[in-house]
Amino acid sequence: MKITRTVKKILDNYESDCPGTKANLARILMHGRLGGTGKMVILPVDQGFEHGPARSFAPNPDAYDPHYHYQLAIDAGLNAYAAPLGPLEAGADTFAGAIPTILKVNSANSLSTNKDQAVTATVSDALRLGCSAIGFTIYPGSEDQYEMMEEIREMSEEAKSVGLAVVMWSYPRGGKLDKAGETALDVCAYAAHIAALLGAHIIKVKPPTNVLWQPEAKAAYEKANVDTSTLAARIKHVMQATFNGRRIVVFSGGEAKDLEGLFTEIRGLRDGGANGSIIGRNTFQRPRADALDMLDKIISIYQGKM
């Protein structure tokens, strides 16, 4: 594996990390059809925890099988596959070394009203399964956010000490936030910045809307004449909020949507300088052939071909 100049430049931004961690970041950045470009598409399948099996997999029953997701990510030429402990264990031997994996080490479920997640796996599990990184969700705004931040501080320290990368899902919710606030530009940029402050290597946030939710932040945005008019402009600002682009940021796909709407969104992410997408339900809730065709087009967009 020859590291490209683009990837080397990204790795240079992680100045405190050991060679093991940089090697694992390189494995993700260099793998698949986007390997070496600094862009990535990752398949995350933690929705069984978050939403339950039928809501997640009934639209495409093949997706009840963890092997399906491994194979889909491999055949599509994606950069990595992220999942909780059980699904990764279910295919760890069959697919060992075939694609970089990310162990999601905390999870929530829809039977609870708490805006919190339980720690469901360990750094040792990630090493045992040959993962390149751990993944962890925080909920900025939640009444439980500080405990979550303390949990990832401890797990991040352990992961980095053994050469694993840290991927952080940073989803504002709970507390004072309403639905509009969860995806508002100022709140999304704040959430991305918090993840960077906590030491994440790869940050996952939602694409921001053209809403400024916090009155104090709205005044600051207007005074500084921050462009919020297009998705590309808003993505550019989120990248700016993550140490002026020194951290890798990928954006979620959210609920399943029509293809043209999805491709338009991906173009906005690309044009704003995003490092890529992490797309779950929009992928595995479609029949396999349709999902592969969709992912092919998404990769082509990030390659500048569409």
Side-chain angles (χ1 to χ4, degrees):
M1 180 175 68
K2 184 178 181 181
I3 306 296
T4 63
R5 289 184 181 180
T6 298
V7 170
K8 177 65 166 62
K9 186 176 179 181
I10 292 172
L11 296 176
D12 286 345
N13 288 326
Y14 297 90
E15 297 191 18
S16 70
D17 285 291
C18 69
T21 299
K22 289 194 173 189
N24 275 314
L25 281 171
R27 287 186 185 105
I28 296 171
L29 286 161
M30 292 298 301
H31 193 83
R33 291 175 56 199
L34 288 171
T37 65
K39 304 297 183 183
M40 62 177 70
V41 177
I42 296 171
L43 175 66
V45 189
D46 59 339
Q47 289 81 0
F49 245 132
E50 301 291 330
H51 306 295
R55 286 175 61 191
S56 300
F57 308 128
N60 176 27
D62 289 341
Y64 282 105
D65 186 344
H67 281 218
Y68 176 86
H69 303 288
Y70 270 104
Q71 196 64 59
L72 182 64
I74 293 165
D75 291 346
L78 304 189
N79 296 76
Y81 166 50
L85 180 64
L88 289 189
E89 286 186 331
D93 184 56
T94 300
F95 300 100
I99 188 170
T101 52
I102 299 165
L103 175 60
K104 188 69 165 54
V105 294
N106 72 336
S107 291
N109 67 73
S110 60
L111 304 177
S112 172
T113 58
N114 286 9
K115 304 303 181 186
D116 195 6
Q117 297 215 351
V119 175
T120 55
T122 66
V123 170
S124 294
D125 289 323
L127 290 172
R128 173 173 59 87
L129 294 170
C131 298
S132 294
I134 62 167
F136 193 97
T137 295
I138 59 169
Y139 292 147
S142 165
E143 302 300 338
D144 297 304
Q145 64 179 313
Y146 299 119
E147 183 177 351
M148 300 177 86
M149 291 176 187
E150 290 171 358
E151 288 169 347
I152 187 53
R153 180 208 60 77
E154 184 175 346
M155 294 194 79
S156 179
E157 179 183 16
E158 183 182 0
K160 292 175 182 180
S161 75
V162 294
L164 294 177
V166 176
V167 183
M168 208 173 296
W169 280 241
S170 192
Y171 285 173
R173 62 185 56 172
K176 299 177 181 178
L177 287 167
D178 56 18
K179 272 294 179 185
E182 290 179 359
T183 54
L185 173 58
D186 58 310
V187 178
C188 284
Y190 199 170
H193 187 67
I194 288 170
L197 293 172
L198 286 168
H201 297 105
I202 301 174
I203 297 162
K204 178 189 177 186
V205 291
K206 296 182 179 181
T209 62
N210 190 14
V211 172
L212 296 174
W213 189 80
Q214 303 167 98
E216 300 86 353
K218 183 177 182 181
Y221 277 77
E222 291 174 348
K223 184 176 181 180
N225 293 316
V226 176
D227 184 5
T228 67
S229 60
T230 65
L231 178 59
R234 297 191 293 273
I235 296 302
K236 182 178 179 180
H237 174 65
V238 173
M239 300 303 296
Q240 184 183 40
T242 52
F243 302 164
N244 206 27
R246 288 181 177 272
R247 292 295 176 261
I248 299 166
V249 186
V250 294
F251 291 82
S252 66
E255 296 180 6
K257 52 176 74 78
D258 70 274
L259 286 176
E260 205 44 57
L262 178 62
F263 296 148
T264 297
E265 183 175 271
I266 299 296
R267 291 186 189 98
L269 301 179
R270 176 200 63 193
D271 294 346
N275 291 103
S277 295
I278 180 164
I279 304 179
R281 282 171 288 177
N282 276 288
T283 299
F284 62 72
Q285 289 187 344
R286 287 181 162 85
R288 174 183 161 83
D290 293 348
L292 288 171
D293 182 66
M294 180 197 75
L295 290 168
D296 176 69
K297 288 182 171 63
I298 289 172
I299 289 169
S300 293
I301 290 171
Y302 279 118
Q303 290 173 329
K305 297 177 181 178
M306 283 183 63

